[in-house]
Amino acid sequence: MGSLNSKQSEACRYTDGPLLILAGAGSGKTRVITHRIAYLIDELSVNPYNILAITFTNKAAKEMRERVDRIVAYGAESVWVSTFHSMCVRILRQHIECLGGKSNFTIYDTDEQKTVMKEVLKYLNLDTKMYPERAMLAAISKAKEEYVSPDQYEKRAATSYREQQIANIYREYQKRLQSNNALDFDDLIYKTIELFEHNPDVLEIYQNRFKYIMVDEYQDTNHTQFLLVKQLAAKYQNLCVVGDDDQSIYKFRGADIHNILDFEEEYPNAKVIRLEQNYRSTANILNAANGVIANNEGRKDKTLWTENEDGGKVTYTEYENEYQEAESVVNDMIEKSGQGNSLNDMAVLYRTNNQSRVLEEKLLMNNVPYTLVGGTNFYSRKEIRDMVSYLKVVANANDDLAVARIINVPKRGIGDTTINRAREFALLSEMNLYDVLLTPEEIPGIQRAAEKIHGFTRQIEGFRQFMADATLDELYEEILEKTGYKMQLEAEGTDEARSRIDNLKELKNKIVKYEEEAEEPSLMELLEEISLVADTDREEDTEKERVTLMTLHSAKGLEFPYVYIVGMEERLFPSGMAIDSDDMDAVEEERRLCYVGFTRAMKGLALSGAGTRMVNGTRIYSKTSRFIDEIPENLLIRRGISEPVSYEKRNWRNPEPQTSFSKSTSFPKKEKPYAGLTMSSPLISKGMPGQVVIDFAVGDTVKHLKFGKGTVTELVKTGTDYEVKVNFERVGEKKMFASLAKLKKL
């Protein structure tokens, strides 16, 4: 116990009655839990058999198990260290017969759940476009997390026909699971609560066994987890929960922050101990995080502090666009690496998965190895591979792999057997797969699917005709719409589906950027460019140093000496969905996510944003994230293209009189926005971008690759670029940046 600070020691020694340990980021909470277990056994002679420690992930449970084994002299193996779900499996194996089940039940994975749901929807004669499998499984999962039965769901949805149908689906789904002697993941906790509720004698067995209960990451518990813990702790009340309301960021997974905020109401005799000493971050980083999170109203009062050195100030750099941002972040990491820092010590965090695309490309272009945590490399994601395959087939129908990948995506009723027979026939005929699909009637054994195959080939031929008079991004949108790919994801309505839609929008950004930069854009050249990035050799050398890329959600529980958080812009972080939400907690959860990101950093925290960002192929203005303005000014160094200004003013930076310019005209860089920068600053580590030069003026006729001919009606200088307003003959007035528009004077 001598190695603990006073508050940690107090938390270990308080063992009688409910205890809430508010453990701030980097305050050593796992250390406290394991030492508390040791204190119960070694000092109070509690039987290890009577101790239960619950955490969320198998990894966390394994780590806790190992720590307990190291510090507990005798009986450590009898302490039940477990995740919620593995604990429930053990209980149900012993007692599920009380609910009419069998102890040899199967636990269904996601694919098996989908198979059952497919059967249910077919049995109920429901259209899967109206009632998508994934969406129905998500609705049932949410109901189970709230401990709502099919009958209760039906009563709650009395006024909604669709919800009534979902209740029927839920009921039939459960019947089939029971018939198969199977449980899904959500059933494990649901059925355990049900077991205890209807069998008090069984509950008492476990109440008497688990006289001392500890729950880690309590802020992440959902309603059923709360109910289960409440049942187990009801008799002895020796419940210790550890968590941090400021790190509650999983509402989308069902986590209920009120479980920790209302702990003292649920347990009036509870003692609260705050672990506020941080051992991870420098004082400046920690105080910046404190300054941001203090703006949340729904939180327990606490302020982290540290005995660590002050360290450098937090930096915020604003770039012209997301490409400059990614380039400069990568340059800065290269420079740090050259100064003797390991790439393993550097992490780039972002709000959404689709933001990784630009970063990945810049890292690959600069030969910087990286690891993508909690996700798949951008061009390896299913939806991206699907759409790239469509583009490949439109460009080159001889690509058998691409044809086979998309022939039944989205589903057209063309099964694997049909595809395999077509491939065998093509091989025997020494023809390409697509060529034999043009006359499916000639392929033995697939006549029943012939019309469906015709539908596919007609669609591909239609895309080819469309391409003759369209830009590449228009072709891409046509494929998304006509195949129903985007509509299917929208109908699914899950968080995963929304993330896939965001990735599809990011692929469009890539296509538009390519069109803007290519002298003569072509589909084949675009696909070659994508392939060069997608097929880069990524050796799995675990000994090699790598930069870490991950979302802010994935970063929870980790730490890095140097952290970069990109995309610090309103409607990106905090997200537009949170800003527009009627839920008052939505923006507060985004702020908690920001706090989590800040507190991952040990030595250096670099924040950045873009003045403009491409969203679904259209470049938009961005407003600096409110979280930047919440950092105390004395802790923050601002750098970049503009001083702090209002959103309204940002649309018209540095306006100057409209004049005519020639190609030979150059402009000196303004010094003020870059005051205080050194050669190690990310903005100029490889040289700042030069002034954009143009050869047209107001009144000139110009041509745009996508929009055709138009007349320049307005020119406004914005930093190193020009904002151009053009009245196009075909599409009307458009506003764009000269560096991106690639306008040609006629």
Side-chain angles (χ1 to χ4, degrees):
M1 300 290 282
S3 62
L4 304 179
N5 66 38
S6 60
K7 286 294 182 183
Q8 290 174 332
S9 181
E10 181 185 1
C12 289
R13 294 174 189 276
Y14 188 87
T15 58
D16 295 325
L19 172 64
L20 169 60
I21 302 176
L22 289 172
S27 63
K29 67 179 178 65
T30 306
R31 183 181 181 82
V32 170
I33 295 173
T34 52
H35 277 76
R36 192 171 188 273
I37 293 171
Y39 181 79
L40 286 167
I41 296 170
D42 297 339
E43 301 296 326
L44 300 185
S45 300
V46 172
N47 189 331
Y49 180 83
N50 295 133
I51 300 172
L52 169 66
I54 310 174
T55 187
F56 273 81
T57 65
N58 290 320
K59 181 182 177 183
K62 183 173 182 289
E63 180 186 350
M64 192 179 295
R65 171 89 269 165
E66 290 170 351
R67 289 201 191 188
V68 169
D69 290 345
R70 281 200 302 269
I71 67 172
V72 175
Y74 174 76
E77 68 281 356
S78 298
V79 177
W80 204 342
V81 180
S82 174
T83 64
F84 275 100
H85 291 93
S86 60
M87 176 185 72
C88 290
V89 170
R90 291 175 69 177
I91 293 171
L92 290 172
R93 291 286 184 209
Q94 293 292 319
H95 305 284
I96 198 169
E97 288 89 350
C98 298
L99 296 176
K102 297 177 183 177
S103 61
N104 63 339
F105 60 82
T106 302
I107 302 171
Y108 275 179
D109 62 20
T110 303
D111 288 338
E112 289 164 327
Q113 287 180 265
K114 287 180 189 173
T115 300
V116 175
M117 181 55 68
K118 190 182 298 182
E119 293 171 356
V120 168
L121 295 173
K122 185 176 181 180
Y123 174 75
L124 296 176
N125 197 27
L126 292 172
D127 185 353
T128 55
K129 292 180 180 178
M130 292 291 292
Y131 299 92
E133 294 161 17
R134 286 177 183 267
M136 295 304 98
L137 288 169
I140 291 171
S141 177
K142 188 172 187 297
K144 290 181 180 179
E145 284 179 356
E146 295 172 357
Y147 198 54
V148 174
S149 68
D151 289 344
Q152 290 169 325
Y153 196 104
E154 186 174 28
K155 289 177 183 176
R156 194 173 66 174
T159 59
S160 168
Y161 175 77
R162 178 178 172 78
E163 292 296 304
Q164 287 281 312
Q165 289 289 58
I166 295 175
N168 293 333
I169 293 167
Y170 182 8
R171 184 178 291 106
E172 183 63 28
Y173 174 78
Q174 288 303 113
K175 280 174 61 178
R176 288 173 184 260
L177 287 186
Q178 186 174 4
S179 174
N180 296 344
N181 190 30
L183 302 178
D184 65 19
F185 208 56
D186 295 306
D187 279 331
L188 298 176
I189 297 178
Y190 187 103
K191 290 294 183 183
T192 305
I193 296 171
E194 188 177 16
L195 170 70
F196 290 160
E197 199 172 71
H198 297 290
N199 300 275
D201 55 325
V202 177
L203 173 59
E204 190 172 16
I205 292 172
Y206 289 95
Q207 287 176 336
N208 288 331
R209 171 163 188 180
F210 302 132
K211 293 178 180 178
Y212 294 89
I213 301 172
M214 276 161 276
V215 184
D216 192 15
E217 303 287 9
Y218 192 66
Q219 78 281 347
D220 294 334
T221 52
N222 62 28
H223 185 60
T224 50
Q225 289 161 343
F226 162 79
L227 290 177
L228 181 60
V229 170
K230 184 178 178 181
Q231 286 177 320
L232 289 170
K235 185 171 183 178
Y236 291 99
Q237 298 276 302
N238 293 328
L239 171 64
C240 169
V241 301
V242 186
D244 183 5
D245 52 300
D246 288 335
Q247 297 186 73
S248 179
I249 58 173
Y250 294 122
K251 188 172 185 177
F252 67 96
R253 292 183 188 167
D256 186 351
I257 191 174
H258 292 285
N259 290 348
I260 193 167
L261 292 179
D262 299 341
F263 186 80
E264 293 149 280
E265 292 181 23
E266 191 65 41
Y267 300 94
N269 298 325
K271 182 177 179 63
V272 180
I273 297 176
R274 290 171 169 80
L275 304 183
E276 297 174 299
Q277 183 175 359
N278 175 283
Y279 294 91
R280 177 187 297 151
S281 306
T282 62
N284 283 336
I285 291 172
L286 203 57
N287 289 330
N290 286 335
V292 172
I293 201 63
N295 290 274
N296 270 7
E297 295 180 7
R299 66 185 293 261
K300 298 279 191 181
D301 183 40
K302 60 184 173 299
T303 302
L304 296 191
W305 60 277
T306 184
E307 293 180 346
N308 295 340
E309 62 183 13
D310 286 348
K313 292 186 177 182
V314 176
T315 63
Y316 168 67
T317 309
E318 184 182 345
Y319 299 92
E320 285 281 359
N321 55 55
E322 68 271 34
Y323 297 97
Q324 284 186 15
E325 178 185 37
E327 180 77 29
S328 296
V329 167
V330 172
N331 288 345
D332 195 62
M333 290 191 290
I334 292 171
E335 187 164 322
K336 276 189 171 61
S337 178
Q339 294 168 351
N341 296 290
S342 170
L343 292 177
N344 293 335
D345 291 342
M346 306 174 206
V348 187
L349 311 182
Y350 36 82
R351 178 63 182 84
T352 58
N353 269 308
N354 61 296
Q355 288 175 258
S356 76
R357 198 266 301 175
V358 178
L359 289 161
E360 288 185 66
E361 290 186 359
K362 295 298 182 184
L363 287 163
L364 289 168
M365 286 165 58
N366 286 278
N367 295 314
V368 178
Y370 68 91
T371 297
L372 198 67
V373 175
T376 307
N377 298 331
F378 183 80
Y379 289 107
S380 297
R381 294 168 193 170
K382 180 184 183 302
E383 60 279 8
I384 302 303
R385 293 180 68 184
D386 287 344
M387 293 314 298
V388 169
S389 292
Y390 264 106
L391 293 172
K392 284 181 177 180
V393 173
V394 171
N396 170 28
N398 293 337
D399 188 336
D400 284 4
L401 288 179
V403 172
R405 181 180 182 89
I406 63 170
I407 188 173
N408 198 39
V409 177
K411 292 181 180 178
R412 299 182 173 89
I414 304 172
D416 290 342
T417 301
T418 298
I419 297 170
N420 289 335
R421 285 176 178 170
R423 295 180 83 161
E424 289 171 7
F425 183 76
L427 192 64
L428 290 170
S429 306
E430 297 184 350
M431 297 172 67
N432 296 112
L433 177 59
Y434 187 82
D435 290 338
V436 302
L437 292 175
L438 290 170
T439 54
E441 297 83 0
E442 297 178 9
I443 304 172
I446 67 168
Q447 282 72 22
R448 290 176 61 184
E451 188 51 41
K452 294 171 183 174
I453 293 172
H454 274 306
F456 168 70
T457 54
R458 280 196 295 266
Q459 200 170 64
I460 296 298
E461 295 304 312
F463 294 147
R464 286 178 166 173
Q465 292 176 13
F466 182 87
M467 184 173 64
D469 299 310
T471 59
L472 296 179
D473 63 297
E474 288 172 341
L475 170 65
Y476 177 73
E477 280 293 338
E478 179 77 358
I479 294 171
L480 275 178
E481 294 296 329
K482 288 294 170 62
T483 60
Y485 199 104
K486 185 165 75 171
M487 184 177 69
Q488 184 183 65
L489 289 173
E490 288 170 343
E492 190 177 306
T494 61
D495 289 322
E496 182 185 352
R498 282 187 282 271
S499 178
R500 291 185 185 280
I501 291 171
D502 287 341
N503 288 335
L504 291 172
K505 290 178 180 178
E506 184 60 33
L507 180 57
K508 182 176 178 180
N509 292 344
K510 166 67 180 178
I511 295 169
V512 170
K513 185 76 163 58
Y514 162 76
E515 287 182 296
E516 290 173 343
E517 294 182 341
E519 289 187 13
E520 295 183 12
S522 73
L523 181 53
M524 287 303 298
E525 187 180 63
L526 168 67
L527 291 169
E528 286 170 11
E529 190 171 302
I530 288 173
S531 294
L532 286 173
V533 178
D535 298 336
T536 300
D537 182 26
R538 308 283 301 283
E539 72 274 20
E540 293 299 319
D541 182 2
T542 55
E543 299 299 317
K544 192 170 185 178
E545 292 182 7
R546 295 176 184 276
V547 170
T548 300
L549 302 184
M550 68 177 81
T551 63
L552 285 147
H553 280 100
S554 297
K556 188 171 177 291
L558 303 177
E559 59 183 34
F560 300 90
Y562 300 100
V563 170
Y564 302 80
I565 305 181
V566 298
M568 296 294 296
E569 301 142 35
E570 287 286 288
R571 307 198 73 78
L572 181 54
F573 191 34
S575 70
M577 188 179 295
I579 292 171
D580 297 336
S581 174
D582 294 331
D583 183 357
M584 299 296 289
D585 184 59
V587 170
E588 295 213 342
E589 176 152 331
E590 294 284 299
R591 189 174 284 110
R592 294 193 291 269
L593 189 57
C594 181
Y595 173 82
V596 166
F598 283 20
T599 54
R600 299 312 94 196
M602 300 165 72
K603 295 180 181 178
L605 176 61
L607 312 173
S608 59
T612 71
R613 185 173 294 271
M614 192 174 287
V615 178
N616 197 25
T618 302
R619 189 153 290 281
I620 64 168
Y621 287 96
S622 303
K623 180 183 178 183
T624 302
S625 169
R626 67 190 70 189
F627 302 146
I628 297 299
D629 295 328
E630 291 171 357
I631 300 172
E633 284 296 327
N634 64 309
L635 303 174
L636 183 68
I637 296 174
R638 291 181 185 254
R639 301 166 172 163
I641 62 175
S642 66
E643 299 298 327
V645 292
S646 69
Y647 180 50
E648 290 75 18
K649 291 180 180 178
R650 284 185 61 171
N651 285 358
W652 307 101
R653 294 193 195 97
N654 307 321
E656 293 192 357
Q658 298 167 6
T659 53
S660 178
F661 306 102
S662 67
K663 282 187 177 179
S664 61
T665 305
S666 63
F667 297 87
K669 296 176 186 175
K670 290 196 172 184
E671 294 299 322
K672 185 177 179 183
Y674 312 106
L677 286 180
T678 66
M679 285 307 291
S680 64
S681 302
L683 262 174
I684 56 174
S685 57
K686 281 197 174 180
M688 278 295 296
Q691 173 67 51
V692 173
V693 293
I694 54 178
D695 65 346
F696 51 80
V698 173
D700 285 347
T701 301
V702 292
K703 184 178 180 180
H704 185 272
L705 176 69
K706 177 177 179 179
F707 303 130
K709 292 182 182 179
T711 303
V712 178
T713 59
E714 196 172 310
L715 272 175
V716 178
K717 187 179 177 185
T718 60
T720 60
D721 207 342
Y722 294 91
E723 188 178 82
V724 188
K725 191 183 288 185
V726 181
N727 188 10
F728 291 101
E729 295 174 0
R730 185 161 58 89
V731 296
E733 200 166 72
K734 296 283 184 181
K735 194 185 293 182
M736 58 199 73
F737 285 107
S739 63
L740 302 173
K742 308 294 184 186
L743 295 169
K744 293 184 179 180
K745 182 179 176 181
L746 299 179

